Amino acid sequence: QVQLVESGGGLVQPGGSLRLSCAASGSIFSINAMGWYRQAPGKERELVASITSGGSTDYADSVKGRFTISRDIAKNTVWLQMNSLRPEDTAVYYCNSRLVARLGMAIRNYWGQGTQVTVSS
């Protein structure tokens, strides 16, 4: 059983900052990548940022220069530092991990329960 537990969402004014965290726990053999997706009302879920086990990062164009993803491999934890937040960043943010739960098993995607981020004055 693998669990992704997120924290750090909330309400912030435009221009403010939030830091999201996500910890993966349970039966984990190896993690290929971790990342954050978001879904706004009426829109499809989209990639915000991801980081591989080797440290390579990828960001949506809309957040480049404002958001930073980082991770602690030993703790199976990933963070998303969000600065200069805009109303259009309002969404439910989901943690994602591509991992192998046990030796010999296929790599799979796992998701957190989501955390609401609201940017409003």
Side-chain angles (χ1 to χ4, degrees):
Q1 192 85 0
V2 175
Q3 285 187 316
L4 301 183
V5 179
E6 303 139 333
S7 62
L11 173 65
V12 64
Q13 292 186 341
S17 298
L18 282 175
R19 189 185 194 216
L20 306 182
S21 66
C22 172
S25 63
S27 175
I28 299 173
F29 176 73
S30 66
I31 295 179
N32 177 266
M34 295 187 75
W36 292 92
Y37 287 70
R38 67 186 180 187
Q39 188 166 18
K43 294 188 177 181
E44 293 186 355
R45 191 173 297 189
E46 63 174 358
L47 173 69
V48 177
S50 66
I51 185 166
T52 69
S53 57
S56 298
T57 57
D58 188 25
Y59 293 93
D61 287 343
S62 60
V63 307
K64 285 180 180 177
R66 301 188 297 124
F67 292 10
T68 302
I69 190 169
S70 59
R71 87 249 192 258
D72 184 326
I73 294 176
K75 296 181 179 179
N76 291 335
T77 299
V78 65
W79 296 273
L80 185 67
Q81 178 66 42
M82 305 185 293
N83 299 328
S84 302
L85 282 160
R86 305 167 180 169
E88 53 265 39
D89 294 317
T90 295
V92 178
Y93 283 69
Y94 295 92
C95 180
N96 168 269
S97 181
R98 285 179 52 79
L99 61 86
V100 176
R102 295 182 187 275
L103 180 63
M105 292 181 66
I107 193 166
R108 276 189 55 191
N109 272 316
Y110 291 85
W111 294 91
Q113 78 283 1
T115 185
Q116 177 70 46
V117 171
T118 302
V119 185
S120 175
S121 55

